[in-house]
Amino acid sequence: MTDGASAAGDELDATLALRDLLSEVTARFAAAAIDGAEREARWIVEEASGHEGPEFALSLDRPATEREVVRIDAMTARRVAGEPLQYVLGRWAFRHLDLAVDSRVLIPRPETEVTAEVAIDAARRVAEPIVVDLGTGSGAIGLSVAWECRHAHVWATDRSSEALEVARANLAGLGRAGARVRLAAGDWFGALPDDLVGRVDVAVSNPPYVRLDDPLPPAVERWEPAAALRSGADGLDDIRSIIAAAPRWMSSGGAIVLEADPRQMSAIGDLLVRAGFVDPQVRPDLAGRERVVTAQWGLLPPAQRGPHPR
Ligand SMILES: C[S@@+](CC[C@H](N)C(=O)[O-])C[C@H]1O[C@@H](n2cnc3c(N)ncnc32)[C@H](O)[C@@H]1O
């Protein structure tokens, strides 16, 4: 417990049952104006107790162990200090995976589950696709592709060596599917070995795309890695770099899948078409906002290529 919290007399009592701890944590979160205080408190007590769902409900009346109290206390203090719940728990669900996450990587977002789905659909159209996840962070997209697409060979890259350490830990938990994943450090496509030139069937990325002057929620600004978020005055610097380099790496008919801000869709469609991609399409996220752009490489001769989406 922090000095401040002890002084306030709200240190958790080691003789309490899990149910009592749950009430105390809920009250502390409510006092700290944390949205969904009860739900978050439950996540934390579940995580510390190692029980979930019905098992957790059955364990609520047993006395908490000293270790559980210490863990709940530490996690509660971090959350009350404003750290995102996902980092406090140290893991977060993404599609079928339970990913380790900490402040070295962006917290995987629900909208990125759609990005991964679009990439998985594209990969399933190819017998043994080569898929590259550029800027993999925790590995959310690339590892999901490997997990859900049994014949995919995945390269997951990042410029941040710290992010790659997290991706490596998550890769270790992937079991046999992990044998089809390689991690590589470097700047976008530059991380890939030359023998992939012209052979990439799906290039997927959720790159930084926040404009320099766009405000971010304070918790995002404070806790999540800045290098994962902002990308120049219009938020498109990294997307421009990726699209400019992509033609050299794509296989004929290969798909590019880019997550971005809904306001950037049209500009990205233009960039893709100018680079020689065809048939740009926009997909909405789970909240119905335009979020993912896809296009194909080299399917149509230039004369038949459409202008851009919308
Ligand atoms: C928005 S985060 C996405 C992380 C993860 N793919 C996800 O969707 O949760 C962008 C990622 O791109 C990485 N990145 C930033 N600039 C890069 C660059 N020039 N080359 C490669 N990766 C880069 C960051 O380190 C970060 O992990």
Coordinates of all heavy atoms in Angstrom, one line a residue, residues 255-308:
A255 N -2.9 -8.9 -50.7 CA -3.8 -7.9 -50.1 C -3.0 -7.0 -49.0 O -2.2 -7.6 -48.3 CB -4.9 -8.5 -49.4
I256 N -3.2 -5.7 -49.1 CA -2.7 -4.9 -48.0 C -3.9 -4.5 -47.1 O -5.0 -4.3 -47.6 CB -2.0 -3.6 -48.5 CG1 -1.3 -2.9 -47.4 CG2 -2.9 -2.7 -49.3 CD1 -0.3 -1.9 -47.9
V257 N -3.7 -4.5 -45.8 CA -4.8 -4.3 -44.8 C -4.3 -3.3 -43.8 O -3.4 -3.6 -43.1 CB -5.2 -5.6 -44.1 CG1 -6.3 -5.3 -43.1 CG2 -5.6 -6.7 -45.1
L258 N -4.9 -2.1 -43.8 CA -4.4 -1.0 -42.9 C -5.5 -0.5 -42.0 O -6.6 -0.2 -42.5 CB -3.9 0.2 -43.8 CG -2.7 -0.2 -44.7 CD1 -2.4 1.0 -45.6 CD2 -1.4 -0.5 -43.9
E259 N -5.2 -0.4 -40.7 CA -6.1 0.2 -39.8 C -5.8 1.7 -39.7 O -4.6 2.0 -39.7 CB -6.0 -0.5 -38.4 CG -6.9 0.2 -37.4 CD -7.0 -0.6 -36.1 OE1 -6.8 -1.8 -36.0 OE2 -7.1 0.1 -35.0
A260 N -6.8 2.5 -39.6 CA -6.5 3.9 -39.5 C -7.7 4.6 -38.9 O -8.7 4.0 -38.5 CB -6.2 4.5 -40.8
D261 N -7.6 6.0 -38.8 CA -8.7 6.8 -38.3 C -9.8 6.9 -39.4 O -9.5 7.0 -40.6 CB -8.1 8.2 -38.0 CG -9.2 9.1 -37.3 OD1 -10.1 9.6 -38.0 OD2 -9.0 9.3 -36.1
P262 N -11.1 6.9 -39.0 CA -12.1 7.0 -40.0 C -12.0 8.2 -40.9 O -12.3 8.1 -42.1 CB -13.4 7.1 -39.1 CG -13.1 6.4 -37.9 CD -11.6 6.7 -37.6
R263 N -11.4 9.3 -40.4 CA -11.2 10.5 -41.2 C -10.1 10.3 -42.3 O -9.9 11.2 -43.1 CB -10.9 11.7 -40.3 CG -12.0 12.1 -39.4 CD -11.5 13.1 -38.4 NE -10.5 12.4 -37.5 CZ -9.8 13.0 -36.6 NH1 -10.0 14.3 -36.4 NH2 -9.0 12.4 -35.8
Q264 N -9.3 9.3 -42.2 CA -8.2 9.1 -43.1 C -8.5 8.1 -44.2 O -7.6 7.9 -45.1 CB -7.0 8.6 -42.3 CG -6.5 9.5 -41.2 CD -5.5 8.9 -40.2 OE1 -5.6 7.7 -40.0 NE2 -4.7 9.7 -39.6
M265 N -9.6 7.5 -44.2 CA -9.9 6.4 -45.2 C -9.7 6.9 -46.7 O -9.1 6.2 -47.5 CB -11.3 5.9 -45.0 CG -11.5 5.3 -43.6 SD -10.7 3.7 -43.5 CE -9.7 3.9 -42.0
S266 N -10.3 8.0 -47.0 CA -10.3 8.5 -48.4 C -8.8 8.8 -48.8 O -8.4 8.4 -49.9 CB -11.2 9.7 -48.5 OG -11.2 10.1 -49.8
A267 N -8.1 9.5 -48.0 CA -6.7 9.8 -48.3 C -5.9 8.5 -48.5 O -5.0 8.4 -49.4 CB -6.1 10.7 -47.2
I268 N -6.1 7.5 -47.7 CA -5.4 6.3 -47.8 C -5.7 5.5 -49.1 O -4.9 5.0 -49.8 CB -5.6 5.4 -46.5 CG1 -5.0 6.1 -45.3 CG2 -4.9 4.0 -46.7 CD1 -5.4 5.4 -44.0
G269 N -7.0 5.6 -49.4 CA -7.4 5.0 -50.7 C -6.7 5.6 -51.8 O -6.2 4.9 -52.7
D270 N -6.6 6.9 -51.8 CA -5.8 7.7 -52.9 C -4.4 7.2 -52.9 O -3.8 7.0 -54.0 CB -5.9 9.2 -52.6 CG -7.2 9.8 -53.0 OD1 -8.0 9.1 -53.7 OD2 -7.5 10.9 -52.5
L271 N -3.8 7.1 -51.7 CA -2.4 6.7 -51.7 C -2.2 5.3 -52.3 O -1.2 5.1 -53.0 CB -1.9 6.7 -50.2 CG -1.7 8.1 -49.6 CD1 -1.5 8.0 -48.1 CD2 -0.5 8.8 -50.2
L272 N -3.1 4.4 -51.9 CA -3.0 3.1 -52.4 C -3.1 3.0 -53.9 O -2.3 2.3 -54.6 CB -4.1 2.2 -51.7 CG -3.8 1.8 -50.3 CD1 -5.1 1.3 -49.6 CD2 -2.7 0.8 -50.2
V273 N -4.1 3.7 -54.4 CA -4.3 3.7 -55.9 C -3.1 4.3 -56.6 O -2.6 3.8 -57.6 CB -5.6 4.4 -56.3 CG1 -5.7 4.6 -57.8 CG2 -6.8 3.6 -55.7
R274 N -2.6 5.4 -56.1 CA -1.4 6.0 -56.7 C -0.2 5.1 -56.7 O 0.6 5.2 -57.6 CB -1.1 7.4 -56.0 CG -1.8 8.5 -56.8 CD -1.3 9.9 -56.3 NE -2.4 10.4 -55.5 CZ -2.2 10.9 -54.3 NH1 -1.0 11.0 -53.7 NH2 -3.2 11.5 -53.6
A275 N -0.1 4.2 -55.7 CA 1.0 3.3 -55.6 C 0.8 2.1 -56.5 O 1.7 1.3 -56.6 CB 1.2 2.9 -54.1
G276 N -0.4 1.9 -57.1 CA -0.6 0.8 -58.0 C -1.5 -0.3 -57.4 O -1.7 -1.3 -58.1
F277 N -2.0 -0.1 -56.2 CA -3.0 -1.1 -55.7 C -4.3 -0.9 -56.4 O -4.6 0.2 -56.9 CB -3.1 -0.9 -54.2 CG -2.0 -1.5 -53.4 CD1 -0.9 -0.7 -53.1 CD2 -2.0 -2.8 -52.9 CE1 0.2 -1.2 -52.4 CE2 -0.9 -3.3 -52.2 CZ 0.2 -2.5 -52.0
V278 N -5.2 -1.9 -56.3 CA -6.5 -1.8 -57.0 C -7.6 -2.2 -56.0 O -7.3 -2.8 -55.0 CB -6.6 -2.7 -58.2 CG1 -5.6 -2.3 -59.3 CG2 -6.4 -4.2 -57.8
D279 N -8.8 -1.8 -56.3 CA -10.0 -2.2 -55.6 C -9.9 -1.8 -54.1 O -10.2 -2.7 -53.3 CB -10.2 -3.7 -55.8 CG -11.7 -4.0 -55.4 OD1 -12.5 -3.1 -55.4 OD2 -11.9 -5.2 -55.0
P280 N -9.6 -0.6 -53.7 CA -9.6 -0.3 -52.3 C -11.0 -0.4 -51.7 O -12.0 0.1 -52.3 CB -9.1 1.1 -52.2 CG -8.9 1.6 -53.6 CD -9.3 0.5 -54.6
Q281 N -11.1 -1.0 -50.6 CA -12.4 -1.2 -49.9 C -12.2 -0.7 -48.4 O -11.1 -0.9 -47.9 CB -12.8 -2.6 -49.8 CG -12.8 -3.3 -51.2 CD -14.1 -3.3 -51.9 OE1 -15.1 -3.0 -51.2 NE2 -14.2 -3.5 -53.2
V282 N -13.3 -0.2 -47.9 CA -13.3 0.2 -46.5 C -14.2 -0.7 -45.6 O -15.3 -1.0 -46.1 CB -13.7 1.7 -46.3 CG1 -13.8 2.1 -44.9 CG2 -12.7 2.6 -47.1
R283 N -13.7 -1.1 -44.5 CA -14.5 -1.9 -43.6 C -14.8 -1.2 -42.2 O -13.8 -0.6 -41.7 CB -13.8 -3.2 -43.2 CG -13.8 -4.2 -44.4 CD -15.1 -5.1 -44.4 NE -15.3 -5.8 -43.1 CZ -14.8 -7.0 -42.9 NH1 -14.2 -7.7 -43.8 NH2 -15.1 -7.6 -41.7
P284 N -16.0 -1.3 -41.7 CA -16.3 -0.6 -40.4 C -15.8 -1.4 -39.3 O -15.6 -2.6 -39.4 CB -17.8 -0.5 -40.4 CG -18.2 -1.7 -41.2 CD -17.2 -2.0 -42.3
D285 N -15.5 -0.7 -38.1 CA -15.2 -1.5 -36.9 C -16.5 -1.9 -36.2 O -17.6 -1.7 -36.7 CB -14.2 -0.6 -36.0 CG -14.9 0.7 -35.6 OD1 -16.1 0.8 -35.6 OD2 -14.1 1.6 -35.2
L286 N -16.3 -2.4 -35.0 CA -17.5 -2.9 -34.3 C -18.5 -1.8 -33.9 O -19.7 -2.1 -33.6 CB -17.0 -3.7 -33.0 CG -16.1 -4.8 -33.3 CD1 -15.5 -5.4 -32.0 CD2 -16.8 -6.0 -34.0
A287 N -18.0 -0.6 -33.9 CA -18.9 0.6 -33.5 C -19.4 1.2 -34.8 O -20.1 2.2 -34.7 CB -18.1 1.6 -32.7
G288 N -19.2 0.6 -36.0 CA -19.7 1.1 -37.2 C -18.9 2.2 -37.8 O -19.3 2.8 -38.8
R289 N -17.7 2.5 -37.3 CA -16.9 3.6 -37.9 C -15.9 3.0 -38.9 O -15.4 1.9 -38.7 CB -16.1 4.3 -36.8 CG -16.9 5.2 -35.9 CD -16.1 5.6 -34.7 NE -15.6 4.4 -34.1 CZ -15.3 4.3 -32.8 NH1 -15.4 5.3 -32.0 NH2 -14.8 3.2 -32.3
E290 N -15.7 3.7 -40.0 CA -14.8 3.2 -41.1 C -13.4 3.1 -40.5 O -12.9 4.1 -40.0 CB -14.8 4.2 -42.3 CG -16.2 4.2 -42.9 CD -16.2 5.0 -44.2 OE1 -15.3 5.9 -44.4 OE2 -17.0 4.7 -45.1
R291 N -12.9 1.9 -40.5 CA -11.7 1.7 -39.7 C -10.5 1.0 -40.5 O -9.4 1.1 -40.2 CB -12.0 0.9 -38.5 CG -10.9 0.6 -37.5 CD -10.4 1.9 -36.9 NE -11.3 2.5 -36.0 CZ -11.0 3.6 -35.3 NH1 -9.9 4.2 -35.5 NH2 -11.9 4.1 -34.5
V292 N -10.9 0.1 -41.5 CA -9.9 -0.7 -42.1 C -10.0 -0.5 -43.6 O -11.0 -0.6 -44.2 CB -10.1 -2.2 -41.8 CG1 -9.0 -3.0 -42.3 CG2 -10.2 -2.4 -40.3
V293 N -8.8 -0.3 -44.2 CA -8.8 -0.2 -45.7 C -8.0 -1.4 -46.2 O -7.0 -1.7 -45.7 CB -8.0 1.1 -46.2 CG1 -8.2 1.3 -47.7 CG2 -8.3 2.3 -45.4
T294 N -8.6 -2.0 -47.3 CA -7.8 -3.1 -47.9 C -7.7 -2.7 -49.4 O -8.5 -2.0 -50.0 CB -8.6 -4.4 -47.8 OG1 -9.8 -4.3 -48.5 CG2 -8.9 -4.8 -46.4
A295 N -6.7 -3.3 -50.1 CA -6.6 -3.2 -51.5 C -5.7 -4.3 -52.0 O -5.0 -5.0 -51.2 CB -6.0 -1.8 -51.9
Q296 N -5.8 -4.6 -53.3 CA -5.0 -5.7 -53.9 C -3.9 -5.2 -54.7 O -4.0 -4.1 -55.3 CB -5.9 -6.6 -54.8 CG -6.5 -7.8 -54.1 CD -7.5 -7.4 -53.0 OE1 -8.4 -6.6 -53.3 NE2 -7.3 -8.0 -51.8
W297 N -2.9 -6.0 -54.8 CA -1.7 -5.6 -55.6 C -1.8 -6.4 -57.0 O -1.9 -7.6 -57.0 CB -0.4 -6.0 -54.9 CG 0.8 -5.6 -55.8 CD1 1.6 -6.5 -56.4 CD2 1.1 -4.3 -56.2 NE1 2.6 -5.8 -57.1 CE2 2.3 -4.4 -57.0 CE3 0.6 -3.0 -55.9 CZ2 2.9 -3.3 -57.6 CZ3 1.2 -1.9 -56.5 CH2 2.4 -2.1 -57.3
G298 N -1.8 -5.6 -58.0 CA -1.5 -6.1 -59.4 C -2.6 -7.0 -59.9 O -2.2 -7.9 -60.7
L299 N -3.8 -6.9 -59.5 CA -4.8 -7.8 -60.1 C -5.3 -7.3 -61.5 O -5.6 -8.1 -62.3 CB -6.1 -7.8 -59.2 CG -6.0 -8.8 -58.0 CD1 -7.3 -8.7 -57.2 CD2 -5.7 -10.2 -58.5
L300 N -5.4 -6.0 -61.7 CA -5.9 -5.4 -62.9 C -4.8 -4.6 -63.6 O -4.0 -4.0 -62.9 CB -7.1 -4.5 -62.6 CG -8.3 -5.1 -61.9 CD1 -9.3 -4.0 -61.5 CD2 -9.0 -6.1 -62.9
P301 N -4.8 -4.5 -64.9 CA -3.9 -3.6 -65.6 C -4.3 -2.2 -65.2 O -5.4 -1.9 -64.9 CB -4.2 -3.9 -67.1 CG -5.4 -4.7 -67.2 CD -5.7 -5.3 -65.8
P302 N -3.3 -1.3 -65.2 CA -3.5 0.1 -64.7 C -4.7 0.8 -65.3 O -5.5 1.4 -64.7 CB -2.2 0.8 -65.1 CG -1.2 -0.2 -65.2 CD -1.9 -1.5 -65.6
A303 N -5.0 0.5 -66.7 CA -6.1 1.2 -67.3 C -7.5 0.9 -66.7 O -8.4 1.6 -66.7 CB -6.2 0.8 -68.8
Q304 N -7.6 -0.3 -66.0 CA -8.8 -0.7 -65.5 C -8.9 -0.4 -64.0 O -9.9 -0.8 -63.3 CB -9.0 -2.2 -65.7 CG -9.2 -2.6 -67.1 CD -9.3 -4.1 -67.3 OE1 -9.8 -4.8 -66.5 NE2 -8.7 -4.6 -68.4
R305 N -7.9 0.2 -63.4 CA -8.0 0.4 -62.0 C -8.9 1.5 -61.6 O -9.0 2.6 -62.3 CB -6.6 0.8 -61.5 CG -5.7 -0.4 -61.5 CD -4.3 0.0 -61.0 NE -3.4 -1.2 -61.3 CZ -2.1 -1.1 -61.5 NH1 -1.5 0.1 -61.4 NH2 -1.4 -2.2 -61.7
G306 N -9.7 1.3 -60.6 CA -10.7 2.3 -60.1 C -10.0 3.5 -59.5 O -8.8 3.5 -59.2
P307 N -10.8 4.6 -59.2 CA -10.2 5.8 -58.6 C -9.8 5.6 -57.2 O -8.7 5.3 -56.8 CB -11.3 6.9 -58.8 CG -12.5 6.1 -59.0 CD -12.2 4.7 -59.5
H308 N -10.7 5.5 -56.3 CA -10.5 5.3 -54.8 C -11.8 5.1 -54.2 O -12.8 5.3 -54.8 CB -9.7 6.5 -54.2 CG -10.4 7.8 -54.4 ND1 -11.4 8.2 -53.6 CD2 -10.1 8.8 -55.3 CE1 -11.8 9.4 -54.0 NE2 -11.1 9.7 -55.0

